[in-house]
Amino acid sequence: MKLWDKGFSIDKKIELFTVGNDREIDMHIAKYDVEASRAHAVMLESIGIITSEELEQLKSGLKILAESIEEGTFIIEDSFEDVHSKIEHELTKTLGDVGKKIHTARSRNDQVLVALQLYYKENLEIINSKTKTFFDTLLGLAETHKTQLLPGYTHLQVAMPSSFGLWFSAYAELLIDDVYVLNAVSKIADQNPLGSAAGYGSSFPIDRDITTKELGFSTLKYNVVAAQLSRGKSERAIASALGGLCNTMARFAMDICLYMSQNFGFVTFPDELTTGSSIMPHKKNPDVFELIRGKCNKIQALHSEMLLITNNLPSGYHRDFQLLKENIINAFEDVKDILDIFNYSIQQIIVKDIDLTDEKYQYLFTVDSINNLVVEGMSFREAYQKIGSQVQAGTYKPDLGKEHSHIGSIHNLCLDDIRAKFPK
C-alpha cells in the first residue's frame, strides 16, 4: 500500500524509475522520520485529533521502530516506496486504525523535509566536531615541529623560508573559516518545516510551535510556501559549505603528495599507510591522500549539481527534489570519513630534516639579505638591486640567521591565538 494509493496499480516500469534507490538512501533518515512522527503525534494529541491513549500507543510503536533502526534490524523492503510508507505500515500493522492516524495533517512533502533538516542539523554538528579534532591535531603538529624550517614556494619556485609549524598551522587556521560557514549553514538547517504539508499548510488547527520545541529546532520556517521552497536551497548552501571544507583538505592533501615525492622529500609516512606498485618494487604511494584529494574535489562539484537540479523551478513541490537526497547524503557521509582518515593519517607523518644549505635552496634567503641591508641604512630599491646583482653574478651568499618576529610569521606562530579563535 502506497501513501498515495487510490485503488489502482502503477505501471511497473514507471514505479521502478520513480522510486529509484530511495529505499537505500532513506535508511540514513529513518531515525529522523521516527523522531518527527513522534513530535507530530504529540502535537495531534494536543489539538484533540488523537486521544492521550492513542498517543501513548503511537509513542510505543515508534520507540520499537527507533530501537530496530539503532540495532540495524530495520529494513525497507522492495514492496515499499520509501521509509515513510514503511514506518506507517509498521505502525498500522502493530496498532491497527491508530497507526493510520499518524499521517493526519501532514504530507509526505513536509515529512521528508523535516527528516532531512534533522539529518542535516545533526550531521553538520558531527562534521563541526570532527573538524575541531582535526584542527587540534594540526596545531599539535605545528607546536611539535615549529622550529623545523621548510622551503616556501611561489609559482612552484623556491621563494622564502617557511617552517613546518607555519605549514601545519596555516591549514588549521583555514579550517576556522570553514567552520564559520558550517555554522551559518547550520542556522539554515535549524528551522522546522513540519506543518507546511504539501506546501500550502493545513485546515487542521495544528500547533507548529509544539513540533518545533519537541524536535529541538531553534525556530521554524513560518511561511508554508517558503518551507517547500527551502528544499534545494538548503542543499545548495550545505553543498557550498561542505565544498569549502573539502577545498581546504584537498589542497592540504596535494601538498602532502607533493612533499612526499622524491623531488621534494620533505615528509614521509610509515609503510603501513602507503601502497606499492605491481611492477615497481621501490614505490611508496600516498594513495590515501590522493583519494582524499579526489573525494574532496568530487564534493566541491556538488554545489553545481544542486544548483542545476533546482534552478528556476517554480514554487511548490516537484519530483526533481527527490534527486537531491542521494548525493547530498553521500557527501555528508564521505566528509565524515575523510575527516576521520585524514586526522588518523596525519598524526603519523614523519617530518624530515631539510638541508637548507643545499644548492637548490641557495636563494631562499635573498629577501632576508635585502632586509638586512635596509636595516643597515640602504634604501629598499638599492638593496634589491645589490642582491639581485649578486644572484646574477653567482656571488650571492645567504644569511641563514635572520629571525621573523612579526605576528603570524615563522618565529611567532601565535598558536594560542589561533586556538582561541576557533568558534565555540
Side-chain angles (χ1 to χ4, degrees):
M1 180 73 72
K2 295 174 175 59
L3 295 182
W4 52 270
D5 187 274
K6 296 186 287 288
F8 61 86
S9 297
I10 188 173
D11 185 298
K12 290 301 179 185
K13 285 186 178 181
I14 299 298
E15 180 175 22
L16 184 64
F17 182 79
T18 54
V19 171
N21 62 345
D22 253 22
R23 286 180 285 266
E24 293 80 4
I25 297 301
D26 278 1
M27 291 300 295
H28 290 285
I29 62 170
K31 80 166 193 172
Y32 305 103
D33 193 81
V34 169
E35 289 175 16
S37 294
R38 182 188 180 282
H40 185 68
V42 169
M43 186 277 296
L44 290 177
E45 189 271 340
S46 74
I47 63 171
I49 297 296
I50 61 174
T51 66
S52 57
E53 182 181 348
E54 288 172 329
L55 172 60
E56 292 308 313
Q57 288 180 279
L58 287 169
K59 281 183 177 179
S60 177
L62 289 166
K63 182 181 179 182
I64 292 170
L65 287 172
E67 289 169 350
S68 70
I69 292 168
E70 188 173 349
E71 293 166 0
T73 58
F74 180 85
I75 59 172
I76 306 171
E77 296 87 350
D78 290 349
S79 54
F80 297 100
E81 277 191 302
D82 49 36
V83 67
H84 318 295
S85 52
K86 166 68 175 180
I87 287 173
E88 183 169 327
H89 170 82
E90 290 299 320
L91 289 175
T92 302
K93 184 173 73 172
T94 304
L95 306 174
D97 287 343
V98 175
K100 296 178 182 179
K101 294 185 177 184
I102 191 62
H103 202 60
T104 307
R106 71 176 180 180
S107 164
R108 189 164 54 166
N109 292 352
D110 65 340
Q111 197 173 347
V112 66
L113 251 178
V114 70
L116 285 169
Q117 292 296 97
L118 290 168
Y119 171 88
Y120 297 154
K121 181 183 173 186
E122 183 170 302
N123 280 275
L124 283 167
E125 290 176 1
I126 293 170
I127 287 173
N128 207 322
S129 175
K130 290 180 182 292
T131 302
K132 177 60 163 61
T133 298
F134 189 36
F135 169 85
D136 289 338
T137 295
L138 294 183
L139 283 189
L141 288 167
E143 180 66 41
T144 300
H145 301 288
K146 64 183 178 182
T147 61
Q148 291 176 262
L149 290 184
L150 170 74
Y153 294 81
T154 63
H155 309 275
L156 280 180
Q157 306 291 305
V158 170
M160 290 180 65
S162 180
S163 71
F164 283 100
L166 204 61
W167 182 54
F168 285 123
S169 59
Y171 282 105
E173 190 164 7
L174 284 181
L175 290 174
I176 295 174
D177 297 338
D178 298 325
V179 171
Y180 288 152
V181 180
L182 287 169
N183 286 346
V185 172
S186 293
K187 290 186 177 181
I188 295 175
D190 195 14
Q191 303 177 84
N192 179 24
L194 188 58
S196 58
Y200 300 97
S202 172
S203 58
F204 288 104
I206 59 175
D207 189 335
R208 298 184 64 204
D209 285 329
I210 288 178
T211 55
T212 300
K213 182 178 179 181
E214 287 286 325
L215 292 172
F217 284 107
S218 63
T219 186
L220 52 80
K221 206 74 171 179
Y222 290 96
N223 185 294
V224 290
V225 175
Q228 281 300 315
L229 286 170
S230 71
R231 187 98 183 262
K233 189 176 180 68
S234 297
E235 285 77 6
R236 291 194 301 273
I238 290 166
S240 181
L242 296 181
L245 173 59
C246 285
N247 178 270
T248 300
M249 293 193 289
R251 295 183 71 182
F252 190 23
M254 178 62 217
D255 276 3
I256 293 168
C257 293
L258 200 65
Y259 291 175
M260 277 187 69
S261 71
Q262 290 88 340
N263 288 3
F264 288 81
F266 301 155
V267 301
T268 189
F269 286 84
D271 291 344
E272 306 83 60
L273 266 69
T274 62
T275 62
S277 164
S278 62
I279 63 171
M280 295 173 283
H282 66 281
K283 293 298 290 297
K284 188 172 179 179
N285 300 325
D287 283 19
V288 65
F289 300 103
E290 292 172 343
L291 286 171
I292 287 171
R293 182 178 62 198
K295 285 174 179 283
C296 284
N297 289 341
K298 182 180 177 182
I299 291 168
Q300 288 180 76
L302 184 62
H303 178 263
S304 295
E305 178 184 316
M306 299 294 101
L307 180 65
L308 291 172
I309 290 174
T310 60
N311 200 31
N312 297 333
L313 286 179
S315 60
Y317 177 78
H318 310 277
R319 193 64 180 264
D320 311 51
F321 291 141
Q322 178 182 327
L323 303 177
L324 300 173
K325 274 196 302 186
E326 179 175 3
N327 286 348
I328 195 73
I329 287 175
N330 286 341
F332 268 108
E333 300 304 318
D334 281 346
V335 169
K336 289 187 292 185
D337 288 343
I338 290 167
L339 283 164
D340 285 341
I341 197 66
F342 213 152
N343 187 65
Y344 172 78
S345 300
I346 199 65
Q347 291 180 67
Q348 301 179 63
I349 195 171
I350 300 167
V351 170
K352 294 184 178 181
D353 290 324
I354 302 168
D355 181 9
L356 295 183
T357 64
D358 189 293
E359 184 181 356
K360 62 178 170 286
Y361 302 130
Q362 64 176 319
Y363 300 130
L364 196 61
F365 298 91
T366 57
V367 177
D368 287 347
S369 297
I370 292 170
N371 293 350
N372 286 336
L373 293 175
V374 172
V375 170
E376 292 169 5
M378 190 178 292
S379 73
F380 178 84
R381 186 54 53 208
E382 288 176 309
Y384 178 92
Q385 291 169 349
K386 180 175 181 178
I387 297 300
S389 297
Q390 293 176 3
V391 169
Q392 292 299 317
T395 60
Y396 171 73
K397 300 295 181 185
D399 175 10
L400 280 63
K402 186 80 172 174
E403 287 213 350
H404 298 196
S405 60
H406 70 74
I407 288 173
S409 61
I410 303 173
H411 302 107
N412 187 10
L413 295 176
C414 302
L415 299 183
D416 289 340
D417 297 287
I418 294 173
R419 184 174 286 106
K421 185 178 168 185
F422 197 96
K424 298 296 186 290

